[in-house]
Amino acid sequence: MLLSSDQKLGLFCVALFSVFFIILMNVHLMGGVLAGLLTYTLTLKLDALLSKTSVKLSNKSKLISVLILSILIMAIFMGGAWYIFTKFLHMAKNPTETMDNAKMIIDNVSNTLPQNLRDYLPEDMDEILKNLTSYFKEHLLYLQSIVKNVFHILLIVIVGMIIGLILGFQENKRNIEEKNQQQTRLMAAFSDSMRRLVLVFQYVAISQVVISLFNTLMTAIFLFIILPIFDVHLPFSKSLVLATFVFGLIPIIGNLIVNVLMFLVAFTVSFGVAIVVIVYLIIIHKAEYVLNAKIVGTKVQAGICELLIAMLFLETLFGMIGLIFAPIFYAFIKLSLKQLKLI
């Protein structure tokens, strides 16, 4: 079958985007792209909402939406940093209370562990502090590299968000200019590919919200209904449910953070409860993969197996970021091929 010129240009743009994504995943910049897509999409959605809400805001809706999102993003980052800082400050100002709480947790864990595992635990807090000090001294360079990588990723995400806000703000101006002048066929094909990418990202973002709600509901049922039936009550249960929803909005990594938090909290109750919690969470998250593939697959008419294979394949090639980006990447390619009438 001979391809038309529009199909050839469309395929060229899909290939160009694909190569671009592969390069970014290899150099670990994909987090910035995802953050930029998020702020860009939110800017467009908030702009459309403000324009429909009030005629007076229609001319300034783009600027207002960017300002609102900028303030919200700064508030989230500053609020998170302040919360962590105040927690560490409280611990530093009250060392006795901190040590007592840590000793209580260790005693609870020690009393619930099997004897063969209990022998590996330090006997008192002095030994724990000695072991921690020794570990920090031996792995100082490694810990510094971890902190450096965390701040590097955070900087990439912030820069990506800023770029997304700028592109979202310029979208209206660009649309007006495009109406006044004829686009080249290549630029038209590039714009179509970009719109498909944003559309697919919206599908995946909606899917992630649904998954976070599902995960939060299952966690609440587990913490407030299932565990109390067996007379088990986890501390900080309400905070854990809230954290499940908030961190659940972050693909994959958010689930890992929540899993670690819940496991540590359950570990303070008993070793057996911690094992039950982690098994339950694993079952939920496996169900989430299927749910994610089902929601995104329905939108782009892709099978669950297709998306799951894509997620496993990209995770093998690029690690965690490949797993996070796989639904967007595969859905973008399939939707592009369908709209180009090649499949």
Side-chain angles (χ1 to χ4, degrees), residues 98 107 165 177 262 328:
T98 303
D107 289 341
L165 288 172
E177 290 176 350
M262 289 192 63
I328 300 174

Side-chain angles (χ1 to χ4, degrees), residues 113-322:
L113 282 175
Q115 185 60 45
N116 55 346
L117 294 178
R118 196 182 306 172
D119 295 336
Y120 292 97
L121 287 178
E123 295 181 359
D124 52 34
M125 289 303 298
D126 292 334
E127 186 177 352
I128 292 174
L129 290 175
K130 182 179 178 182
N131 291 339
L132 285 175
T133 304
S134 175
Y135 178 84
F136 286 140
K137 287 181 178 179
E138 292 176 3
H139 301 85
L140 183 61
L141 293 177
Y142 175 69
L143 293 173
Q144 286 177 343
S145 67
I146 291 177
V147 174
K148 182 180 177 181
N149 288 334
V150 169
F151 277 101
H152 178 69
I153 294 171
L154 188 61
L155 179 62
I156 290 173
V157 169
I158 292 173
V159 172
M161 286 182 169
I162 294 172
I163 293 173
L165 288 172
I166 293 172
L167 292 176
F169 178 72
Q170 294 178 340
E171 184 65 23
N172 270 357
K173 181 180 178 181
R174 190 162 51 244
N175 288 342
I176 294 171
E177 290 176 350
E178 286 173 359
K179 291 177 182 178
N180 296 331
Q181 64 182 18
Q182 186 67 31
Q183 268 190 310
T184 63
R185 296 172 66 186
L186 178 59
M187 285 305 300
F190 185 85
S191 298
D192 288 340
S193 295
M194 189 64 195
R195 279 191 287 270
R196 283 193 291 268
L197 176 62
V198 173
L199 183 63
V200 166
F201 179 80
Q202 291 177 19
Y203 293 156
V204 175
I206 292 171
S207 168
Q208 195 61 42
V209 172
V210 173
I211 287 172
S212 181
L213 290 171
F214 168 79
N215 194 9
T216 303
L217 177 62
M218 293 296 102
T219 302
I221 291 173
F222 181 65
L223 294 179
F224 296 118
I225 297 178
I226 297 177
L227 287 182
I229 290 176
F230 299 95
D231 199 27
V232 176
H233 302 275
L234 256 63
F236 312 111
S237 292
K238 294 179 181 178
S239 299
L240 287 174
V241 172
L242 178 61
T244 299
F245 175 74
V246 174
F247 286 110
L249 297 174
I250 307 172
I252 311 300
I253 298 176
N255 284 339
L256 292 177
I257 295 173
V258 172
N259 287 358
V260 171
L261 289 175
M262 289 192 63
F263 179 77
L264 292 176
V265 172
F267 207 67
T268 64
V269 177
S270 76
F271 178 71
V273 172
I275 296 300
V276 171
V277 166
I278 203 66
V279 169
Y280 183 80
L281 291 173
I282 290 173
I283 294 173
I284 289 177
H285 297 328
K286 295 304 177 186
E288 286 175 6
Y289 288 155
V290 178
L291 182 62
N292 186 10
K294 177 66 176 176
I295 296 172
V296 179
T298 302
K299 294 290 186 179
V300 297
Q301 298 179 5
I304 295 177
C305 290
E306 296 176 52
L307 284 171
L308 290 176
I309 291 171
M311 292 166 71
L312 291 174
F313 182 70
L314 287 184
E315 192 276 334
T316 303
L317 291 178
F318 304 107
M320 187 66 68
I321 193 64

